[in-house]
């Protein structure tokens, strides 16, 4: 999938006609997937590439910051990395990321059609959702877009709501499920277990010192740390997880683990990650072939820089503040025991094709 950032990069290339859809695509849930499948079919019918147009930051993030009202910003389901990965998995040919700034926010609906859809994107076909609005003050709607398409020579179509068991699938519904810790409902809406991926980054290396004597490997509760690049994740707390990307075996099963997604309330403000949201994952078992593979890493024995994917399967509890390292150690040990009990009862979820 080709990724293009900003209209200026589009304008520097030869003109290309596209079949496109526009949205935030937070989570790339089953409703998005159905829309993208229809878009791909229409693009093939017309012999043009399929293109998903999205925004970064989320427009509501932009306006929340402008008005200094952070409570208006939506909780974020997915990082940009994971959104792009899911769009690629759906088979989209190109994703255009438009920086949502004052200039874009100020474009009238007509100017958005002329300058963005026609001028920069060469729209031949535009597919939108039933609640699509665009342009300054969200004055553009489907009727305006349809009329503009007829006048400017591109087709316009609208896809109505997608439902699963009578429930309308939307990013808001996914956020609600994640906020409630209902990972099964979130997975039903997404069509897959909720997951976060990224490069393993350095932390305080505190985990490997906690419970070290009990681990038998001298690494305590060592964790694989991923940054979640948004201050307001839709999910937070302690989760039963499974980890992909560490085991070098061709058809390796995911590694079971337990993870903390949040701001680590028991750590001091001198945390090297500066209070940013982290997903800290402790693998319950480290197979020997994983240890052997990591022995040849740039930092021997460590996974720094590797790209891993962590699926959040079940929420154990919200983040807790512990008053001492001993209490924190006991809390993590209990979480590990609870995660092992969950896997014993449920088993790992089937591996998802890459």
């Amino acid at each position: 999938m080709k990724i293009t950032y900003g209209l200026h990069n589009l304008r520097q290339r030869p003109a290309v006609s596209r079949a496109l859809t526009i949205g935030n695509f937070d989570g790339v849930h089953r409703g998005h997937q159905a829309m993208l499948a229809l878009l791909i079919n229409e693009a093939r019918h017309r012999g043009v590439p399929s293109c998903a147009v999205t925004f970064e930051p989320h427009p509501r993030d932009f306006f929340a910051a402008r008005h200094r009202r952070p409570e208006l910003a939506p909780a974020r389901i997915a990082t940009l990395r994971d959104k792009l990965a899911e769009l690629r998995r759906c088979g989209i040919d190109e994703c255009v990321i438009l920086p949502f700034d004052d200039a874009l926010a100020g474009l009238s609906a007509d100017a958005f059609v002329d300058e963005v859809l026609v001028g920069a994107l060469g729209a031949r076909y535009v597919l939108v959702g039933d609640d699509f609005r665009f342009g300054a003050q969200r004055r553009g709607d489907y009727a305006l877009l349809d009329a503009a398409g007829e006048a400017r020579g591109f087709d316009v179509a609208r896809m109505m709501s997608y439902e699963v068991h009578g429930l309308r699938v939307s990013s808001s519904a996914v956020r609600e499920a994640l906020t409630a810790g209902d990972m099964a409902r979130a997975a039903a809406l997404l069509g897959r277990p909720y997951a976060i991926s990224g490069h393993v980054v350095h932390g305080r290396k505190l985990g490997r010192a906690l419970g070290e004597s009990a681990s038998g490997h001298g690494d305590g509760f060592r964790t694989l740390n991923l940054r979640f690049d948004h201050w307001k994740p839709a999910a937070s707390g302690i989760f039963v997880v499974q980890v992909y990307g560490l085991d070098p075996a061709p058809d390796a099963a995911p590694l079971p683990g337990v993870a903390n997604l949040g701001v680590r309330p028991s750590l001091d403000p001198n945390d090297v990650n500066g209070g940013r949201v982290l997903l800290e994952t402790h693998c319950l078992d480290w197979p020997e072939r994983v240890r052997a593979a990591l022995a040849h890493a740039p930092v021997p024995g460590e996974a720094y820089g590797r790209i891993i994917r962590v699926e959040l399967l079940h929420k154990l509890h919200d983040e807790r503040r512990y008053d001492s390292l001993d209490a924190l150690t006991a809390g993590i040990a209990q979480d590990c025991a609870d995660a092992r009990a969950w896997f014993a009862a449920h088993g790992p979820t089937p591996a998802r094709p890459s």
Side-chain angles (χ1 to χ4, degrees), residues 299-319:
V299 179
E302 304 293 353
Y304 301 127
R306 283 180 179 259
I307 297 176
I308 64 171
R309 185 174 90 252
V310 181
E311 292 182 346
L312 283 63
L313 306 179
H314 172 71
K315 183 170 180 177
L316 294 173
H317 57 79
D318 290 333
E319 282 194 292

Side-chain angles (χ1 to χ4, degrees), residues 146-167:
D146 188 44
E150 187 172 358
R152 293 166 176 80
F154 60 89
D155 296 328
V156 178
R158 174 169 55 181
M159 186 168 176
M160 305 309 287
S161 299
Y162 188 87
E163 295 186 355
V164 174
H165 300 305
L167 175 65

Side-chain angles (χ1 to χ4, degrees), residues 104-230:
L104 190 59
L107 279 182
S108 68
D110 286 335
F112 184 85
V113 170
D114 288 337
E115 297 179 24
V116 178
L117 298 186
V118 177
L121 291 165
R124 284 270 304 279
Y125 172 86
V126 180
L127 175 64
V128 297
D130 58 349
D131 56 354
F132 179 69
R133 308 285 297 193
F134 67 102
Q137 300 180 344
R138 292 171 51 85
R139 288 180 175 169
D141 58 10
Y142 177 76
L144 189 152
L145 182 64
D146 188 44
E150 187 172 358
R152 293 166 176 80
F154 60 89
D155 296 328
V156 178
R158 174 169 55 181
M159 186 168 176
M160 305 309 287
S161 299
Y162 188 87
E163 295 186 355
V164 174
H165 300 305
L167 175 65
R168 182 179 184 272
V169 179
S170 67
S171 293
S172 295
V174 177
R175 291 186 190 104
E176 290 170 5
L178 293 175
T179 300
D182 190 340
M183 308 312 289
R185 180 158 60 101
L189 294 167
L190 292 168
R192 63 188 185 278
Y194 177 63
I196 296 170
S197 69
H199 291 88
V200 177
V201 300
H202 288 270
R204 289 187 62 203
K205 301 176 177 61
L206 175 64
R208 68 190 63 199
L210 298 176
E212 185 173 2
S213 61
S215 72
H217 293 296
D219 53 13
F221 296 118
R222 65 186 297 187
T223 59
L224 304 162
N225 304 320
L226 303 182
R227 290 195 181 105
F228 189 90
D229 291 329
H230 192 271

Side-chain angles (χ1 to χ4, degrees), residues 34 52 57 73 79 93 96 101 103 134-135 151 169 217 230 239 286 303 311-312 322 340:
T79 63
D93 295 316
V96 174
D101 53 19
F134 67 102
V169 179
H217 293 296
H230 192 271
F239 297 86
W286 290 82
E311 292 182 346
L312 283 63
Y322 295 98
R340 290 185 187 278

Side-chain angles (χ1 to χ4, degrees), residues 211 214 221 258 284 322 327-340:
F221 296 118
V258 62
L284 299 176
Y322 295 98
L328 177 59
T329 300
I332 297 174
Q334 184 60 58
D335 293 336
C336 290
D338 292 343
R340 290 185 187 278

